[in-house]
């Protein structure tokens, strides 16, 4: 059975800087990996399965279509863009790993490739954070997001991409000592 992809070649070339002469067959494994290792942990296995099954059946509609079109696909696109430079640059051949040398083109440096990967990864993470906020703000629309628990399931990563620092939760409370006494003050900045 073929893997259900959440983005296709037209979406890739229309919505990104990926050129339409890029071999789409090289990108399919990248899409699969990004769906499995990046998108599924964000959605959790239950909501991911709902979306995949609806796309596979051609019945994606309503709130799930909104989630797919507005959040999942843009997030997935930038994960694919972050992961694809190395795939497009190097090939595994019988004689070993070789660098792809296109006619009339100049290869970027490894540092430039890392820069692109980091840049697109940050964009993907931003879309991922927006997606999680949207789902959490609409729990009645996505109940399967809150049911992915168990040994055979992947629970959604509810705080996936933090820039570091101290996470204080979503309740707006910040722990601040005052007058040599410990207390909690409402943080409304």
């Amino acid at each position: 059975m073929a893997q259900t992809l959440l983005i296709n070649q037209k979406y890739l070339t229309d919505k990104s800087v990926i050129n339409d002469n890029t071999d789409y067959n090289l990108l399919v494994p990248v899409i699969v990996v990004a769906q499995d290792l990046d998108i599924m942990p964000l959605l959790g296995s239950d909501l991911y399965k709902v979306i995949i099954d609806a796309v596979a059946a051609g019945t994606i509609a309503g709130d799930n279509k909104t989630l797919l079109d507005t959040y999942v696909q843009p997030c997935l696109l930038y994960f694919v863009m972050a992961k694809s430079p190395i795939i497009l640059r190097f090939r595994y051949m019988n004689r070993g790993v070789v660098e792809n040398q296109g006619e009339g083109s100049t290869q970027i440096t490894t540092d430039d490739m890392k820069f692109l990967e980091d840049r697109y990864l940050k964009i993907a993470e931003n879309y991922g954070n927006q997606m999680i906020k949207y789902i959490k703000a609409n729990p009645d629309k996505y109940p399967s997001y809150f049911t992915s628990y168990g040994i055979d399931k992947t629970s959604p990563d509810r705080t996936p991409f933090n820039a570091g620092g101290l996470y204080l939760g979503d309740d707006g409370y910040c722990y601040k000592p005052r007058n040599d006494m410990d207390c909690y003050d409402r943080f409304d900045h």
Side-chain angles (χ1 to χ4, degrees):
M1 186 166 122
Q3 173 89 27
T4 300
L5 301 179
L6 298 176
I7 56 176
N8 59 27
Q9 183 174 8
K10 181 167 175 33
Y11 187 89
L12 278 173
T13 57
D14 287 353
K15 304 284 185 181
S16 75
V17 296
I18 296 176
N19 195 302
D20 47 342
N21 73 349
T22 302
D23 186 354
Y24 180 68
N25 291 325
L26 294 173
L27 295 176
V28 168
V30 179
I31 296 169
V32 170
V33 167
Q35 285 182 189
D36 291 347
L37 300 182
D38 297 311
I39 299 300
M40 198 261 289
L42 291 173
L43 297 176
S45 55
D46 288 352
L47 181 54
Y48 180 75
K49 184 172 177 2
V50 167
I51 300 293
I52 287 287
D53 289 350
V55 169
T59 59
I60 190 94
D63 295 329
N64 289 337
K65 180 145 177 58
T66 299
L67 179 63
L68 177 68
D69 293 347
T70 308
Y71 298 97
V72 175
Q73 287 181 327
C75 184
L76 177 57
L77 173 71
Y78 282 96
F79 276 123
V80 169
M81 289 179 60
K83 295 174 186 310
S84 62
I86 196 163
I87 300 301
L88 296 174
R89 184 170 180 179
F90 300 104
R91 301 281 189 280
Y92 290 83
M93 310 294 273
N94 286 339
R95 61 181 185 229
V97 178
V98 297
E99 187 173 7
N100 185 27
Q101 296 288 337
E103 294 178 27
S105 62
T106 304
Q107 294 289 331
I108 63 172
T109 66
T110 304
D111 288 342
D112 289 340
M113 192 165 51
K114 179 68 175 146
F115 170 79
L116 285 175
E117 178 183 339
D118 291 345
R119 178 162 170 71
Y120 291 132
L121 189 59
K122 285 178 184 168
I123 295 170
E125 290 172 351
N126 192 316
Y127 277 117
N129 280 331
Q130 290 175 20
M131 180 169 54
I132 298 308
K133 287 178 185 177
Y134 173 76
I135 293 169
K136 288 166 103 177
N138 296 284
D140 54 318
K141 294 179 181 180
Y142 307 104
S144 55
Y145 177 78
F146 301 94
T147 61
S148 291
Y149 294 99
I151 201 160
D152 61 336
K153 296 184 178 186
T154 300
S155 299
D157 188 352
R158 292 196 168 81
T159 56
F161 309 111
N162 294 319
L166 178 64
Y167 176 70
L168 300 174
D170 295 329
D171 60 1
Y173 283 89
C174 177
Y175 177 75
K176 298 188 292 186
R178 180 176 48 188
N179 300 332
D180 296 327
M181 296 173 48
D182 293 338
C183 67
Y184 285 92
D185 286 337
R186 178 83 179 138
F187 184 72
D188 290 322
H189 299 131

